[in-house]
Amino acid sequence: MRTNYIAYTCILSALCVAAFFVGAVWSPVTHANAPSSVNQGLEPLPDMPAGKYNVDNVHSTAMFRVQHMGAGNFWGRFNDVKGDITFTPSDPEKTFEFAIDVDLDSVDSGNEKLDNHLKSPDFFNAKEYEKMSFKSTEIERLSQHVWDITGDLTMNGVTKSVVALVRFIGTADMGRGTRAGFDATFDIKRSDFNMNYGVENGTLGDKTHIVVALETVHDDS
Protein backbone atom coordinates (compact mmCIF):
# COMPACT_ATOMS: atom_id res chain seq x y z
CA MET A 1 0.00 0.00 0.00
CA ARG A 2 2.81 2.37 0.97
CA THR A 3 4.64 1.40 -2.23
CA ASN A 4 1.57 2.37 -4.31
CA TYR A 5 1.30 5.68 -2.49
CA ILE A 6 4.95 6.52 -3.16
CA ALA A 7 4.57 5.57 -6.84
CA TYR A 8 1.46 7.73 -7.13
CA THR A 9 3.28 10.68 -5.51
CA CYS A 10 6.23 10.33 -7.91
CA ILE A 11 3.95 10.22 -10.95
CA LEU A 12 2.03 13.29 -9.78
CA SER A 13 5.26 15.21 -9.18
CA ALA A 14 6.56 14.30 -12.63
CA LEU A 15 3.33 15.52 -14.23
CA CYS A 16 3.56 18.84 -12.38
CA VAL A 17 7.15 19.36 -13.49
CA ALA A 18 6.23 18.50 -17.09
CA ALA A 19 3.30 20.93 -16.99
CA PHE A 20 5.58 23.67 -15.71
CA PHE A 21 8.05 23.25 -18.59
CA VAL A 22 5.30 22.98 -21.21
CA GLY A 23 3.76 26.18 -19.88
CA ALA A 24 7.12 27.92 -19.97
CA VAL A 25 7.61 26.96 -23.61
CA TRP A 26 4.11 27.64 -24.96
CA SER A 27 2.74 30.49 -22.86
CA PRO A 28 2.85 33.95 -24.55
CA VAL A 29 5.52 36.45 -23.48
CA THR A 30 3.87 39.07 -21.32
CA HIS A 31 6.73 41.00 -19.73
CA ALA A 32 7.11 44.68 -20.43
CA ASN A 33 10.09 44.30 -22.74
CA ALA A 34 8.49 41.68 -25.00
CA PRO A 35 9.10 42.44 -28.69
CA SER A 36 6.16 43.42 -30.90
CA SER A 37 4.77 40.44 -32.85
CA VAL A 38 4.65 42.68 -35.93
CA ASN A 39 8.33 43.65 -35.88
CA GLN A 40 9.87 40.58 -34.22
CA GLY A 41 12.53 39.10 -36.49
CA LEU A 42 12.24 41.86 -39.11
CA GLU A 43 15.32 43.79 -40.15
CA PRO A 44 15.49 47.60 -40.47
CA LEU A 45 15.34 49.02 -43.97
CA PRO A 46 18.81 49.08 -45.55
CA ASP A 47 20.70 52.33 -46.14
CA MET A 48 17.69 54.55 -45.51
CA PRO A 49 18.34 57.58 -43.30
CA ALA A 50 15.58 58.82 -41.03
CA GLY A 51 13.82 62.05 -41.87
CA LYS A 52 11.59 63.65 -44.46
CA TYR A 53 11.42 62.49 -48.07
CA ASN A 54 9.88 64.71 -50.74
CA VAL A 55 7.96 63.19 -53.65
CA ASP A 56 9.80 63.42 -56.98
CA ASN A 57 6.96 64.71 -59.14
CA VAL A 58 8.65 63.67 -62.40
CA HIS A 59 9.07 60.03 -61.42
CA SER A 60 5.84 59.46 -59.48
CA THR A 61 2.31 58.80 -60.69
CA ALA A 62 -1.17 57.75 -59.55
CA MET A 63 -3.31 55.42 -61.65
CA PHE A 64 -6.90 54.24 -61.39
CA ARG A 65 -8.84 51.34 -62.90
CA VAL A 66 -12.60 50.95 -63.26
CA GLN A 67 -14.76 48.51 -65.19
CA HIS A 68 -16.36 49.99 -68.33
CA MET A 69 -19.66 48.83 -69.88
CA GLY A 70 -19.61 45.66 -67.78
CA ALA A 71 -16.69 44.39 -69.86
CA GLY A 72 -13.10 45.64 -69.92
CA ASN A 73 -11.13 47.61 -67.37
CA PHE A 74 -10.47 51.26 -68.17
CA TRP A 75 -7.23 52.79 -66.91
CA GLY A 76 -6.41 56.45 -66.33
CA ARG A 77 -3.67 58.29 -64.52
CA PHE A 78 -2.75 61.53 -62.78
CA ASN A 79 0.52 63.09 -63.83
CA ASP A 80 1.00 65.52 -60.95
CA VAL A 81 1.68 63.88 -57.57
CA LYS A 82 3.19 65.85 -54.68
CA GLY A 83 3.76 65.50 -50.97
CA ASP A 84 6.19 63.93 -48.54
CA ILE A 85 6.90 60.87 -46.41
CA THR A 86 8.46 61.06 -42.95
CA PHE A 87 10.54 58.04 -41.94
CA THR A 88 11.01 57.43 -38.19
CA PRO A 89 12.60 53.97 -37.76
CA SER A 90 12.97 54.40 -33.99
CA ASP A 91 9.17 54.43 -33.55
CA PRO A 92 7.50 51.18 -34.76
CA GLU A 93 4.07 52.72 -34.15
CA LYS A 94 4.84 55.56 -36.56
CA THR A 95 7.53 54.28 -38.93
CA PHE A 96 6.12 56.09 -41.94
CA GLU A 97 3.87 59.14 -42.17
CA PHE A 98 2.40 59.86 -45.61
CA ALA A 99 1.01 63.19 -46.81
CA ILE A 100 0.27 62.93 -50.53
CA ASP A 101 -1.61 65.32 -52.85
CA VAL A 102 -2.79 64.55 -56.38
CA ASP A 103 -3.65 67.40 -58.77
CA LEU A 104 -7.02 66.43 -60.25
CA ASP A 105 -6.54 68.69 -63.27
CA SER A 106 -3.62 66.45 -64.27
CA VAL A 107 -5.92 63.49 -65.06
CA ASP A 108 -4.79 61.80 -68.26
CA SER A 109 -6.80 59.18 -70.15
CA GLY A 110 -5.03 59.66 -73.46
CA ASN A 111 -8.14 61.32 -74.89
CA GLU A 112 -8.72 65.08 -74.50
CA LYS A 113 -12.54 64.86 -74.71
CA LEU A 114 -12.62 62.15 -72.05
CA ASP A 115 -10.19 64.10 -69.88
CA ASN A 116 -12.54 67.10 -69.92
CA HIS A 117 -15.42 64.86 -68.85
CA LEU A 118 -13.33 63.35 -66.05
CA LYS A 119 -12.56 66.86 -64.76
CA SER A 120 -16.26 67.79 -64.74
CA PRO A 121 -18.66 67.50 -61.76
CA ASP A 122 -19.69 64.06 -63.06
CA PHE A 123 -16.35 62.77 -61.80
CA PHE A 124 -13.46 64.59 -60.11
CA ASN A 125 -14.91 68.10 -60.23
CA ALA A 126 -11.40 69.48 -60.63
CA LYS A 127 -12.48 73.11 -60.84
CA GLU A 128 -14.14 73.13 -57.42
CA TYR A 129 -11.88 70.58 -55.72
CA GLU A 130 -8.37 70.98 -57.04
CA LYS A 131 -6.76 67.97 -55.42
CA MET A 132 -7.21 64.54 -53.93
CA SER A 133 -5.24 64.06 -50.72
CA PHE A 134 -4.18 61.21 -48.48
CA LYS A 135 -2.88 61.63 -44.93
CA SER A 136 -1.86 58.57 -42.94
CA THR A 137 -3.21 57.91 -39.45
CA GLU A 138 -2.07 54.37 -38.55
CA ILE A 139 0.53 51.85 -39.68
CA GLU A 140 0.93 48.08 -39.34
CA ARG A 141 3.97 46.20 -40.60
CA LEU A 142 2.98 42.96 -42.35
CA SER A 143 6.37 41.68 -43.51
CA GLN A 144 9.90 42.85 -44.22
CA HIS A 145 8.93 45.35 -46.93
CA VAL A 146 5.11 45.56 -46.68
CA TRP A 147 2.82 47.70 -44.51
CA ASP A 148 -0.88 48.35 -44.15
CA ILE A 149 -1.20 52.11 -43.89
CA THR A 150 -4.54 53.55 -42.83
CA GLY A 151 -5.28 57.14 -43.72
CA ASP A 152 -7.87 59.77 -44.57
CA LEU A 153 -8.58 60.09 -48.28
CA THR A 154 -10.23 63.38 -49.25
CA MET A 155 -11.84 63.78 -52.67
CA ASN A 156 -14.80 65.69 -54.03
CA GLY A 157 -15.35 67.32 -50.65
CA VAL A 158 -15.65 63.98 -48.84
CA THR A 159 -13.16 62.37 -46.44
CA LYS A 160 -13.13 58.60 -45.89
CA SER A 161 -10.74 56.26 -44.10
CA VAL A 162 -8.97 53.81 -46.43
CA VAL A 163 -6.29 51.17 -45.97
CA ALA A 164 -3.46 51.14 -48.49
CA LEU A 165 -1.12 48.19 -48.96
CA VAL A 166 2.30 49.84 -49.23
CA ARG A 167 5.40 48.05 -50.46
CA PHE A 168 8.90 49.45 -49.99
CA ILE A 169 10.72 49.07 -53.34
CA GLY A 170 14.26 50.16 -52.51
CA THR A 171 16.63 52.95 -51.63
CA ALA A 172 19.84 54.25 -53.23
CA ASP A 173 22.06 57.28 -53.67
CA MET A 174 23.44 57.64 -57.20
CA GLY A 175 24.68 61.18 -56.83
CA ARG A 176 21.32 62.98 -56.73
CA GLY A 177 20.45 62.45 -53.09
CA THR A 178 19.16 59.44 -51.19
CA ARG A 179 16.03 58.13 -52.88
CA ALA A 180 13.39 55.71 -51.66
CA GLY A 181 10.63 54.10 -53.69
CA PHE A 182 7.17 52.86 -52.69
CA ASP A 183 4.14 51.33 -54.39
CA ALA A 184 0.69 51.67 -52.80
CA THR A 185 -2.58 50.01 -53.80
CA PHE A 186 -6.12 50.32 -52.44
CA ASP A 187 -9.75 50.17 -53.52
CA ILE A 188 -12.53 52.71 -53.08
CA LYS A 189 -16.17 53.01 -54.06
CA ARG A 190 -16.80 56.09 -56.20
CA SER A 191 -20.25 56.48 -54.74
CA ASP A 192 -18.70 56.99 -51.27
CA PHE A 193 -17.26 60.23 -52.66
CA ASN A 194 -20.49 61.40 -54.35
CA MET A 195 -19.20 60.28 -57.72
CA ASN A 196 -22.23 58.37 -58.97
CA TYR A 197 -22.00 58.80 -62.73
CA GLY A 198 -22.65 55.46 -64.47
CA VAL A 199 -23.14 53.53 -61.23
CA GLU A 200 -26.92 53.03 -61.32
CA ASN A 201 -27.13 51.93 -64.95
CA GLY A 202 -23.96 49.84 -64.73
CA THR A 203 -22.05 51.57 -67.50
CA LEU A 204 -19.19 52.25 -65.09
CA GLY A 205 -18.20 50.24 -62.07
CA ASP A 206 -18.46 51.68 -58.60
CA LYS A 207 -15.37 49.92 -57.27
CA THR A 208 -12.18 51.69 -58.34
CA HIS A 209 -8.68 50.29 -57.94
CA ILE A 210 -5.93 52.85 -57.28
CA VAL A 211 -2.20 52.36 -57.70
CA VAL A 212 0.29 55.01 -56.57
CA ALA A 213 3.98 54.75 -57.48
CA LEU A 214 6.20 57.08 -55.48
CA GLU A 215 9.86 57.97 -55.84
CA THR A 216 11.02 60.22 -53.03
CA VAL A 217 14.17 62.18 -52.23
CA HIS A 218 15.60 62.69 -48.75
CA ASP A 219 15.29 66.30 -47.60
CA ASP A 220 18.78 67.31 -46.43
CA SER A 221 17.79 70.88 -45.52
Side-chain angles (χ1 to χ4, degrees):
M1 187 75 174
R2 180 177 176 78
T3 301
N4 292 339
Y5 174 78
I6 293 174
Y8 174 78
T9 303
C10 291
I11 292 171
L12 183 60
S13 299
L15 290 174
C16 290
V17 172
F20 172 81
F21 281 107
V22 169
V25 172
W26 290 103
S27 61
V29 179
T30 56
H31 54 80
N33 296 320
S36 167
S37 60
V38 174
N39 294 291
Q40 188 175 6
L42 298 179
E43 297 294 329
L45 297 182
D47 304 322
M48 187 171 178
K52 182 179 177 181
Y53 287 74
N54 297 314
V55 172
D56 178 349
N57 180 259
V58 176
H59 298 102
S60 300
T61 188
M63 296 167 283
F64 60 91
R65 183 189 72 201
V66 64
Q67 191 175 38
H68 180 252
M69 291 293 185
N73 285 321
F74 168 76
W75 283 89
R77 61 178 283 169
F78 296 95
N79 297 321
D80 192 354
V81 181
K82 300 175 182 177
D84 57 71
I85 300 171
T86 302
F87 179 47
T88 313
S90 60
D91 186 354
E93 300 296 324
K94 196 171 60 176
T95 308
F96 289 110
E97 292 179 278
F98 284 72
I100 306 298
D101 291 332
V102 176
D103 182 0
L104 296 177
D105 196 56
S106 72
V107 65
D108 183 359
S109 68
N111 182 284
E112 184 178 358
K113 183 177 179 180
L114 180 54
D115 289 347
N116 289 332
H117 191 196
L118 290 172
K119 295 175 188 179
S120 77
D122 285 342
F123 291 99
F124 298 111
N125 202 0
K127 187 173 183 179
E128 183 173 357
Y129 303 102
E130 297 180 355
K131 65 183 181 179
M132 171 174 59
S133 63
F134 175 86
K135 187 172 180 59
S136 62
T137 56
E138 296 178 34
I139 182 169
E140 179 184 1
R141 194 173 189 179
L142 303 181
S143 64
Q144 182 63 36
H145 293 146
V146 182
W147 287 260
D148 263 349
I149 295 185
T150 302
D152 292 330
L153 178 68
T154 301
M155 181 171 58
N156 205 20
V158 178
T159 299
K160 295 283 185 180
S161 180
V162 301
V163 180
L165 184 71
V166 177
R167 182 178 299 275
F168 170 74
I169 305 302
T171 183
D173 187 345
M174 296 188 177
R176 295 185 180 181
T178 301
R179 292 174 177 259
F182 304 85
D183 280 352
T185 60
F186 58 96
D187 294 327
I188 64 170
K189 291 175 66 176
R190 293 189 299 117
S191 58
D192 286 344
F193 295 88
N194 297 329
M195 200 181 300
N196 299 304
Y197 185 89
V199 173
E200 291 185 0
N201 61 15
T203 57
L204 279 177
D206 191 12
K207 180 181 176 181
T208 305
H209 184 63
I210 298 176
V211 179
V212 184
L214 298 172
E215 185 172 319
T216 63
V217 185
H218 189 260
D219 189 343
D220 295 325
S221 61

PDB file of all heavy atoms in Angstrom, residues 128-147:
ATOM      1  N   GLU A 128     -13.750  72.801 -58.796  1.00  0.00           N
ATOM      2  CA  GLU A 128     -14.140  73.135 -57.419  1.00  0.00           C
ATOM      3  C   GLU A 128     -13.201  72.516 -56.395  1.00  0.00           C
ATOM      4  O   GLU A 128     -12.866  73.132 -55.384  1.00  0.00           O
ATOM      5  CB  GLU A 128     -15.578  72.673 -57.153  1.00  0.00           C
ATOM      6  CG  GLU A 128     -16.067  73.049 -55.767  1.00  0.00           C
ATOM      7  CD  GLU A 128     -17.540  72.741 -55.556  1.00  0.00           C
ATOM      8  OE1 GLU A 128     -18.194  72.289 -56.528  1.00  0.00           O
ATOM      9  OE2 GLU A 128     -18.040  72.946 -54.434  1.00  0.00           O
ATOM     10  N   TYR A 129     -12.785  71.286 -56.639  1.00  0.00           N
ATOM     11  CA  TYR A 129     -11.884  70.581 -55.718  1.00  0.00           C
ATOM     12  C   TYR A 129     -10.592  70.276 -56.480  1.00  0.00           C
ATOM     13  O   TYR A 129     -10.538  69.353 -57.299  1.00  0.00           O
ATOM     14  CB  TYR A 129     -12.519  69.301 -55.206  1.00  0.00           C
ATOM     15  CG  TYR A 129     -13.841  69.521 -54.518  1.00  0.00           C
ATOM     16  CD1 TYR A 129     -15.038  69.238 -55.176  1.00  0.00           C
ATOM     17  CD2 TYR A 129     -13.893  70.033 -53.228  1.00  0.00           C
ATOM     18  CE1 TYR A 129     -16.261  69.441 -54.549  1.00  0.00           C
ATOM     19  CE2 TYR A 129     -15.110  70.244 -52.594  1.00  0.00           C
ATOM     20  CZ  TYR A 129     -16.290  69.949 -53.260  1.00  0.00           C
ATOM     21  OH  TYR A 129     -17.491  70.158 -52.632  1.00  0.00           O
ATOM     22  N   GLU A 130      -9.569  71.036 -56.209  1.00  0.00           N
ATOM     23  CA  GLU A 130      -8.369  70.983 -57.042  1.00  0.00           C
ATOM     24  C   GLU A 130      -7.528  69.736 -56.833  1.00  0.00           C
ATOM     25  O   GLU A 130      -6.767  69.354 -57.719  1.00  0.00           O
ATOM     26  CB  GLU A 130      -7.509  72.225 -56.757  1.00  0.00           C
ATOM     27  CG  GLU A 130      -8.205  73.532 -57.131  1.00  0.00           C
ATOM     28  CD  GLU A 130      -7.333  74.737 -56.841  1.00  0.00           C
ATOM     29  OE1 GLU A 130      -6.228  74.541 -56.258  1.00  0.00           O
ATOM     30  OE2 GLU A 130      -7.744  75.846 -57.191  1.00  0.00           O
ATOM     31  N   LYS A 131      -7.645  69.097 -55.680  1.00  0.00           N
ATOM     32  CA  LYS A 131      -6.758  67.974 -55.416  1.00  0.00           C
ATOM     33  C   LYS A 131      -7.462  66.856 -54.653  1.00  0.00           C
ATOM     34  O   LYS A 131      -8.504  67.046 -54.025  1.00  0.00           O
ATOM     35  CB  LYS A 131      -5.529  68.434 -54.632  1.00  0.00           C
ATOM     36  CG  LYS A 131      -5.853  68.955 -53.231  1.00  0.00           C
ATOM     37  CD  LYS A 131      -4.601  69.462 -52.525  1.00  0.00           C
ATOM     38  CE  LYS A 131      -4.939  69.950 -51.115  1.00  0.00           C
ATOM     39  NZ  LYS A 131      -3.722  70.431 -50.410  1.00  0.00           N
ATOM     40  N   MET A 132      -6.867  65.696 -54.756  1.00  0.00           N
ATOM     41  CA  MET A 132      -7.215  64.542 -53.927  1.00  0.00           C
ATOM     42  C   MET A 132      -6.046  64.351 -52.965  1.00  0.00           C
ATOM     43  O   MET A 132      -4.887  64.413 -53.380  1.00  0.00           O
ATOM     44  CB  MET A 132      -7.413  63.300 -54.811  1.00  0.00           C
ATOM     45  CG  MET A 132      -7.563  62.002 -54.060  1.00  0.00           C
ATOM     46  SD  MET A 132      -7.984  60.613 -55.181  1.00  0.00           S
ATOM     47  CE  MET A 132      -6.590  60.635 -56.315  1.00  0.00           C
ATOM     48  N   SER A 133      -6.325  64.147 -51.688  1.00  0.00           N
ATOM     49  CA  SER A 133      -5.240  64.064 -50.716  1.00  0.00           C
ATOM     50  C   SER A 133      -5.377  62.832 -49.825  1.00  0.00           C
ATOM     51  O   SER A 133      -6.481  62.348 -49.564  1.00  0.00           O
ATOM     52  CB  SER A 133      -5.191  65.325 -49.848  1.00  0.00           C
ATOM     53  OG  SER A 133      -6.377  65.452 -49.077  1.00  0.00           O
ATOM     54  N   PHE A 134      -4.231  62.338 -49.400  1.00  0.00           N
ATOM     55  CA  PHE A 134      -4.179  61.205 -48.476  1.00  0.00           C
ATOM     56  C   PHE A 134      -3.233  61.567 -47.343  1.00  0.00           C
ATOM     57  O   PHE A 134      -2.096  61.984 -47.572  1.00  0.00           O
ATOM     58  CB  PHE A 134      -3.680  59.946 -49.182  1.00  0.00           C
ATOM     59  CG  PHE A 134      -3.481  58.758 -48.259  1.00  0.00           C
ATOM     60  CD1 PHE A 134      -4.549  57.918 -47.958  1.00  0.00           C
ATOM     61  CD2 PHE A 134      -2.246  58.493 -47.702  1.00  0.00           C
ATOM     62  CE1 PHE A 134      -4.381  56.833 -47.103  1.00  0.00           C
ATOM     63  CE2 PHE A 134      -2.064  57.413 -46.850  1.00  0.00           C
ATOM     64  CZ  PHE A 134      -3.135  56.583 -46.555  1.00  0.00           C
ATOM     65  N   LYS A 135      -3.717  61.380 -46.104  1.00  0.00           N
ATOM     66  CA  LYS A 135      -2.881  61.632 -44.925  1.00  0.00           C
ATOM     67  C   LYS A 135      -2.985  60.433 -44.002  1.00  0.00           C
ATOM     68  O   LYS A 135      -4.079  60.076 -43.557  1.00  0.00           O
ATOM     69  CB  LYS A 135      -3.312  62.914 -44.205  1.00  0.00           C
ATOM     70  CG  LYS A 135      -2.378  63.325 -43.078  1.00  0.00           C
ATOM     71  CD  LYS A 135      -2.749  64.687 -42.527  1.00  0.00           C
ATOM     72  CE  LYS A 135      -1.813  65.121 -41.402  1.00  0.00           C
ATOM     73  NZ  LYS A 135      -0.411  65.199 -41.840  1.00  0.00           N
ATOM     74  N   SER A 136      -1.847  59.803 -43.727  1.00  0.00           N
ATOM     75  CA  SER A 136      -1.856  58.570 -42.938  1.00  0.00           C
ATOM     76  C   SER A 136      -2.203  58.831 -41.479  1.00  0.00           C
ATOM     77  O   SER A 136      -1.914  59.898 -40.923  1.00  0.00           O
ATOM     78  CB  SER A 136      -0.497  57.871 -43.039  1.00  0.00           C
ATOM     79  OG  SER A 136       0.535  58.693 -42.514  1.00  0.00           O
ATOM     80  N   THR A 137      -2.838  57.821 -40.860  1.00  0.00           N
ATOM     81  CA  THR A 137      -3.215  57.912 -39.448  1.00  0.00           C
ATOM     82  C   THR A 137      -2.703  56.732 -38.623  1.00  0.00           C
ATOM     83  O   THR A 137      -2.450  56.868 -37.435  1.00  0.00           O
ATOM     84  CB  THR A 137      -4.743  57.984 -39.303  1.00  0.00           C
ATOM     85  OG1 THR A 137      -5.340  56.851 -39.961  1.00  0.00           O
ATOM     86  CG2 THR A 137      -5.287  59.270 -39.920  1.00  0.00           C
ATOM     87  N   GLU A 138      -2.552  55.565 -39.248  1.00  0.00           N
ATOM     88  CA  GLU A 138      -2.074  54.369 -38.547  1.00  0.00           C
ATOM     89  C   GLU A 138      -1.200  53.548 -39.480  1.00  0.00           C
ATOM     90  O   GLU A 138      -1.304  53.661 -40.708  1.00  0.00           O
ATOM     91  CB  GLU A 138      -3.250  53.498 -38.070  1.00  0.00           C
ATOM     92  CG  GLU A 138      -4.158  54.142 -37.050  1.00  0.00           C
ATOM     93  CD  GLU A 138      -5.311  53.218 -36.667  1.00  0.00           C
ATOM     94  OE1 GLU A 138      -5.097  51.990 -36.629  1.00  0.00           O
ATOM     95  OE2 GLU A 138      -6.410  53.733 -36.429  1.00  0.00           O
ATOM     96  N   ILE A 139      -0.354  52.693 -38.877  1.00  0.00           N
ATOM     97  CA  ILE A 139       0.533  51.854 -39.680  1.00  0.00           C
ATOM     98  C   ILE A 139       0.682  50.488 -39.020  1.00  0.00           C
ATOM     99  O   ILE A 139       0.748  50.384 -37.793  1.00  0.00           O
ATOM    100  CB  ILE A 139       1.910  52.532 -39.866  1.00  0.00           C
ATOM    101  CG1 ILE A 139       2.824  51.671 -40.739  1.00  0.00           C
ATOM    102  CG2 ILE A 139       2.559  52.841 -38.531  1.00  0.00           C
ATOM    103  CD1 ILE A 139       4.083  52.407 -41.178  1.00  0.00           C
ATOM    104  N   GLU A 140       0.711  49.445 -39.841  1.00  0.00           N
ATOM    105  CA  GLU A 140       0.931  48.081 -39.343  1.00  0.00           C
ATOM    106  C   GLU A 140       1.884  47.362 -40.297  1.00  0.00           C
ATOM    107  O   GLU A 140       1.609  47.257 -41.494  1.00  0.00           O
ATOM    108  CB  GLU A 140      -0.385  47.304 -39.249  1.00  0.00           C
ATOM    109  CG  GLU A 140      -0.196  45.874 -38.770  1.00  0.00           C
ATOM    110  CD  GLU A 140      -1.486  45.077 -38.764  1.00  0.00           C
ATOM    111  OE1 GLU A 140      -2.528  45.645 -39.151  1.00  0.00           O
ATOM    112  OE2 GLU A 140      -1.436  43.888 -38.392  1.00  0.00           O
ATOM    113  N   ARG A 141       2.983  46.890 -39.764  1.00  0.00           N
ATOM    114  CA  ARG A 141       3.965  46.195 -40.598  1.00  0.00           C
ATOM    115  C   ARG A 141       3.529  44.747 -40.781  1.00  0.00           C
ATOM    116  O   ARG A 141       3.285  44.028 -39.812  1.00  0.00           O
ATOM    117  CB  ARG A 141       5.347  46.249 -39.951  1.00  0.00           C
ATOM    118  CG  ARG A 141       6.481  45.848 -40.902  1.00  0.00           C
ATOM    119  CD  ARG A 141       7.835  46.075 -40.285  1.00  0.00           C
ATOM    120  NE  ARG A 141       8.902  45.884 -41.258  1.00  0.00           N
ATOM    121  CZ  ARG A 141      10.196  46.040 -40.983  1.00  0.00           C
ATOM    122  NH1 ARG A 141      10.567  46.395 -39.761  1.00  0.00           N
ATOM    123  NH2 ARG A 141      11.102  45.854 -41.922  1.00  0.00           N
ATOM    124  N   LEU A 142       3.442  44.313 -42.038  1.00  0.00           N
ATOM    125  CA  LEU A 142       2.976  42.964 -42.352  1.00  0.00           C
ATOM    126  C   LEU A 142       4.121  42.009 -42.625  1.00  0.00           C
ATOM    127  O   LEU A 142       4.024  40.818 -42.322  1.00  0.00           O
ATOM    128  CB  LEU A 142       2.049  43.005 -43.577  1.00  0.00           C
ATOM    129  CG  LEU A 142       0.823  43.912 -43.471  1.00  0.00           C
ATOM    130  CD1 LEU A 142       0.001  43.821 -44.748  1.00  0.00           C
ATOM    131  CD2 LEU A 142      -0.028  43.563 -42.262  1.00  0.00           C
ATOM    132  N   SER A 143       5.196  42.506 -43.224  1.00  0.00           N
ATOM    133  CA  SER A 143       6.366  41.677 -43.508  1.00  0.00           C
ATOM    134  C   SER A 143       7.563  42.606 -43.684  1.00  0.00           C
ATOM    135  O   SER A 143       7.473  43.809 -43.394  1.00  0.00           O
ATOM    136  CB  SER A 143       6.137  40.816 -44.762  1.00  0.00           C
ATOM    137  OG  SER A 143       5.980  41.621 -45.911  1.00  0.00           O
ATOM    138  N   GLN A 144       8.670  42.068 -44.165  1.00  0.00           N
ATOM    139  CA  GLN A 144       9.898  42.851 -44.222  1.00  0.00           C
ATOM    140  C   GLN A 144       9.731  44.169 -44.967  1.00  0.00           C
ATOM    141  O   GLN A 144      10.214  45.208 -44.527  1.00  0.00           O
ATOM    142  CB  GLN A 144      11.009  42.024 -44.896  1.00  0.00           C
ATOM    143  CG  GLN A 144      12.363  42.717 -44.966  1.00  0.00           C
ATOM    144  CD  GLN A 144      12.950  42.992 -43.587  1.00  0.00           C
ATOM    145  OE1 GLN A 144      12.795  42.200 -42.665  1.00  0.00           O
ATOM    146  NE2 GLN A 144      13.599  44.133 -43.426  1.00  0.00           N
ATOM    147  N   HIS A 145       9.030  44.161 -46.087  1.00  0.00           N
ATOM    148  CA  HIS A 145       8.928  45.354 -46.926  1.00  0.00           C
ATOM    149  C   HIS A 145       7.484  45.773 -47.195  1.00  0.00           C
ATOM    150  O   HIS A 145       7.227  46.536 -48.128  1.00  0.00           O
ATOM    151  CB  HIS A 145       9.641  45.126 -48.271  1.00  0.00           C
ATOM    152  CG  HIS A 145      11.121  44.983 -48.148  1.00  0.00           C
ATOM    153  ND1 HIS A 145      11.854  44.161 -48.966  1.00  0.00           N
ATOM    154  CD2 HIS A 145      11.996  45.536 -47.275  1.00  0.00           C
ATOM    155  CE1 HIS A 145      13.133  44.229 -48.616  1.00  0.00           C
ATOM    156  NE2 HIS A 145      13.241  45.056 -47.590  1.00  0.00           N
ATOM    157  N   VAL A 146       6.528  45.304 -46.409  1.00  0.00           N
ATOM    158  CA  VAL A 146       5.113  45.563 -46.678  1.00  0.00           C
ATOM    159  C   VAL A 146       4.414  46.082 -45.417  1.00  0.00           C
ATOM    160  O   VAL A 146       4.610  45.531 -44.328  1.00  0.00           O
ATOM    161  CB  VAL A 146       4.396  44.299 -47.196  1.00  0.00           C
ATOM    162  CG1 VAL A 146       2.936  44.610 -47.519  1.00  0.00           C
ATOM    163  CG2 VAL A 146       5.103  43.746 -48.437  1.00  0.00           C
ATOM    164  N   TRP A 147       3.595  47.119 -45.611  1.00  0.00           N
ATOM    165  CA  TRP A 147       2.823  47.703 -44.513  1.00  0.00           C
ATOM    166  C   TRP A 147       1.373  47.904 -44.941  1.00  0.00           C
ATOM    167  O   TRP A 147       1.083  48.139 -46.118  1.00  0.00           O
ATOM    168  CB  TRP A 147       3.374  49.085 -44.123  1.00  0.00           C
ATOM    169  CG  TRP A 147       4.664  49.076 -43.396  1.00  0.00           C
ATOM    170  CD1 TRP A 147       4.874  49.202 -42.052  1.00  0.00           C
ATOM    171  CD2 TRP A 147       5.974  48.967 -43.973  1.00  0.00           C
ATOM    172  NE1 TRP A 147       6.208  49.178 -41.756  1.00  0.00           N
ATOM    173  CE2 TRP A 147       6.916  49.019 -42.924  1.00  0.00           C
ATOM    174  CE3 TRP A 147       6.447  48.801 -45.285  1.00  0.00           C
ATOM    175  CZ2 TRP A 147       8.289  48.939 -43.132  1.00  0.00           C
ATOM    176  CZ3 TRP A 147       7.813  48.718 -45.493  1.00  0.00           C
ATOM    177  CH2 TRP A 147       8.713  48.781 -44.430  1.00  0.00           C
TER     178      TRP A 147
END
